[in-house]
Amino acid sequence: MSIASADRWLQDPIYRGLLDDVIENPDDDTPRLVMADWLEEHGDQVAQDRARFIRLQVRRAKFSDYSPEAWASRREEARLLRTHRLAWLGRLDRFISKAIFRRGFPDDLVLGVAQFVRNANTLFTLTPVRQLQLLRIAQTKLTMTDLAAIPGMARLRGLSIRNSNLGDERVRELLSTLSMPHLESLDLTGCYLGAQSLEALAQLPVPRLRALSLASNAIVDRVERVTQTVAQRPLQSLNLSFTALDPSAITALANWPGLATLESLNLSGTNMGARAATSLLESPYLGSLETLNLNHCSIRRGGAAALARCSALQRLRVLQLEGNELSEAGLVNLASGPSLTSLEHLDLANNGLNTDEALVALGRWPAFASVRSLRLDHNVIAIQGLRHFLAGEHLGSLTSLSLVGTDLRTGVGSVLAVSPKLSSLAHLNLTYNPLKSVDLEAILNSPNLANLCELLVPPTRWGPELMARLEALTPL
């Protein structure tokens, strides 16, 4: 049997039955792997590649995002998807704006509200839709009550109306009429929420809700109402970024017992300052956190010291600290404490880490024994400082290193190439640096960097031989 596109597959009754099983059991890997077996046994090369793709994504879901296995898998997945995306999407491609494949199938879809209304009945028969983001919802002539009643909405696990500017009254209308018993994730970023919509959110019958984003809404004077709204729900993820929270609101948040169930907290862009950051990090309710985003919070060295002292963050895997004016003193403070022993990803971009001493402190930090992904973008780094960092006694597990715009000069290639600490590196980003051909050649020829899956460099005319080698390492 020759299978050329998703539309043709749907004509086969066996395939249709297998797909229905995947759709009806979206959390179960078994129907997906059964589908992969059938495609491999009965299809052409397109179908066999699809079987390979399904197995890759199901397997990758079991790995950490920063593991070498995950990087290698993403690379092969991207190659397969670039070749077959249109065939695998079939009819879906006619009315969606974006599709994210997870565990082998497009389950996170972005589309205009008009396209959703016209195609809702078909949409839920083509793929196991778990997450849906609706665009241009503020422009629809439908009432929010009519939208909430569309068949298929009730089976969604995630709903996003982010950046819709829908307004307090219309968000209230939507939330007051939704019936989504399986909803686990709700994204209300940039919706102009107010008292009415927060009240409707408090009454929303979603017992399985675990992730909530209220980002980019002016809720500075409504923090107590927000915490009351979600008080009865054991949230695992809360996004309050760019919500104009002042230091008193951060302190109130620190005293909220609901923090105890959170695995992910995003407070980026709140400009809380060192004192409020210290209040937050002294909260007794942070023990479940695995991801903490404090980008652009102005925590400076005082906040870094509070992070180092915070014994509750033993489970923290992801720490984002971009744009906090840490400087050398802040990094030394951060690296001085015994906590943060489970870190896998650390973002220190744009922090004024411009001295060799700062990089020496970073390389000597015991927490680096577990760090796999590091972002140092937009810190001015000298070659000697990079050399000191790469000689750090606790460095050695990195799979991703981003050095965008760090003003690295000629010689960076050889410094990276000779470091045995980078033998696991799969992703290296050196864009916006004045690299020379000799640097690129050193990196490409290094046996220490043989596991690179992705290499990003400035878009320079490198010559045909280097360009050909670069193409194999360029993200797809």
Side-chain angles (χ1 to χ4, degrees):
M1 170 181 162
S2 176
I3 302 177
S5 72
D7 285 348
R8 290 183 59 188
W9 299 347
L10 292 172
Q11 298 172 15
D12 186 286
I14 298 177
Y15 177 89
R16 178 71 261 180
L18 293 172
L19 180 59
D20 287 343
D21 196 17
V22 172
I23 291 172
E24 293 302 319
N25 300 280
D27 297 322
D28 191 351
D29 287 339
T30 301
R32 298 168 189 253
L33 295 174
V34 171
M35 170 76 86
D37 290 343
W38 185 84
L39 288 170
E40 185 174 58
E41 293 171 5
H42 296 85
D44 59 7
Q45 187 59 52
V46 177
Q48 290 171 16
D49 283 352
R50 181 71 193 277
R52 172 66 177 160
F53 181 79
I54 292 171
R55 293 187 184 119
L56 281 169
Q57 288 210 315
V58 168
R59 180 174 177 267
R60 178 164 64 85
K62 298 176 172 61
F63 293 121
S64 161
D65 286 343
Y66 310 108
S67 67
E69 296 88 352
W71 278 108
S73 182
R74 278 192 291 265
R75 178 70 183 176
E76 186 172 356
E77 292 165 32
R79 180 184 61 80
L80 292 169
L81 198 56
R82 183 174 68 173
T83 303
H84 301 301
R85 180 181 182 276
L86 290 179
W88 293 349
L89 285 176
R91 248 179 295 174
L92 275 177
D93 192 58
R94 301 171 193 170
F95 52 83
I96 63 170
S97 299
K98 181 180 178 181
I100 298 175
F101 283 74
R102 290 195 176 92
R103 293 160 55 233
F105 293 81
D107 75 350
D108 188 342
L109 305 182
V110 180
L111 70 163
V113 65
Q115 287 76 18
F116 175 62
V117 171
R118 285 196 296 266
N119 297 285
N121 290 331
T122 300
L123 181 68
F124 292 98
T125 69
L126 296 178
T127 192
V129 185
R130 293 172 58 89
Q131 310 275 338
L132 187 66
Q133 180 183 347
L134 294 176
L135 306 175
R136 299 179 292 279
I137 190 171
Q139 302 170 22
T140 182
K141 296 180 180 179
L142 281 177
T143 66
M144 294 298 100
T145 301
D146 292 336
L147 180 62
I150 291 176
M153 288 284 281
R155 68 195 305 166
L156 288 174
R157 306 298 176 89
L159 176 64
S160 172
I161 56 171
R162 62 181 296 117
N163 300 325
S164 64
N165 300 326
L166 195 57
D168 191 33
E169 171 59 28
R170 297 188 77 189
V171 174
R172 181 208 61 78
E173 181 188 353
L174 176 63
L175 296 180
S176 297
T177 53
L178 277 178
S179 177
M180 303 181 71
H182 303 293
L183 193 70
E184 298 173 358
S185 173
L186 179 61
D187 188 347
L188 300 175
T189 298
C191 289
Y192 285 97
L193 303 182
Q196 295 182 71
S197 47
L198 289 176
E199 180 61 33
L201 179 60
Q203 303 300 322
L204 187 63
V206 282
R208 297 176 60 173
L209 188 68
R210 296 295 179 266
L212 176 65
S213 177
L214 302 176
S216 300
N217 288 287
I219 60 172
V220 62
D221 57 345
R222 298 189 175 97
V223 171
E224 184 176 353
R225 187 69 191 100
V226 169
T227 57
Q228 292 172 352
T229 294
V230 297
Q232 304 305 316
R233 300 186 176 98
L235 287 182
Q236 295 175 352
S237 176
L238 179 61
N239 186 347
L240 296 176
S241 61
F242 297 97
T243 48
L245 299 183
D246 59 19
S248 64
I250 296 294
T251 300
L253 185 67
N255 294 321
W256 175 46
L259 289 178
T261 63
L262 289 184
E263 297 176 4
S264 176
L265 177 61
N266 188 341
L267 295 171
S268 63
T270 53
N271 198 34
M272 65 179 72
R275 183 173 298 180
T278 300
S279 296
L280 174 69
L281 294 164
E282 290 175 350
S283 170
Y285 304 118
L286 303 180
S288 296
L289 277 184
E290 297 183 6
T291 297
L292 179 59
N293 189 333
L294 297 177
N295 288 344
H296 305 290
C297 285
S298 299
I299 71 169
R300 300 185 177 89
R301 63 181 184 179
L307 271 168
R309 293 193 304 267
C310 184
S311 59
L313 297 178
Q314 297 298 319
R315 298 180 59 182
L316 198 69
R317 296 187 305 106
V318 176
L319 179 59
Q320 294 170 273
L321 296 173
E322 178 180 356
N324 274 291
E325 305 171 56
L326 295 183
S327 72
E328 177 190 334
L331 186 55
V332 170
N333 284 348
L334 183 63
S336 66
S339 60
L340 306 177
T341 56
S342 299
L343 277 186
E344 293 186 31
H345 172 74
L346 178 61
D347 186 347
L348 294 171
N350 194 23
N351 268 297
L353 307 180
N354 303 333
T355 66
D356 292 354
E357 289 76 11
L359 293 177
V360 169
L362 188 60
R364 290 178 177 172
W365 189 16
F368 249 95
S370 61
V371 171
R372 290 183 174 273
S373 174
L374 176 64
R375 186 167 176 255
L376 290 172
D377 301 354
H378 307 296
N379 294 289
V380 178
I381 296 176
I383 294 296
Q384 187 62 26
L386 180 64
R387 185 177 287 112
H388 285 315
F389 167 67
L390 293 175
E393 58 189 292
H394 298 290
L395 189 67
S397 299
L398 282 182
T399 60
S400 176
L401 177 60
S402 185
L403 298 169
V404 174
T406 48
D407 201 33
L408 287 165
R409 302 283 171 164
T410 301
V412 61
S414 61
V415 171
L416 292 168
V418 299
S419 175
K421 301 290 185 72
L422 298 180
S423 60
S424 297
L425 202 66
H427 171 88
L428 177 61
N429 192 341
L430 295 171
T431 52
Y432 297 101
N433 285 293
L435 301 185
K436 303 296 184 181
S437 295
V438 64
D439 297 306
L440 184 55
E441 289 173 353
I443 291 169
L444 292 174
N445 293 329
S446 171
N448 294 319
L449 297 173
N451 288 316
L452 273 181
C453 296
E454 293 184 358
L455 175 61
L456 292 89
V457 295
T460 304
R461 294 182 178 179
W462 295 107
E465 181 180 347
L466 286 179
M467 287 297 294
R469 297 180 66 184
L470 264 181
E471 185 176 354
L473 295 173
T474 302
L476 303 175

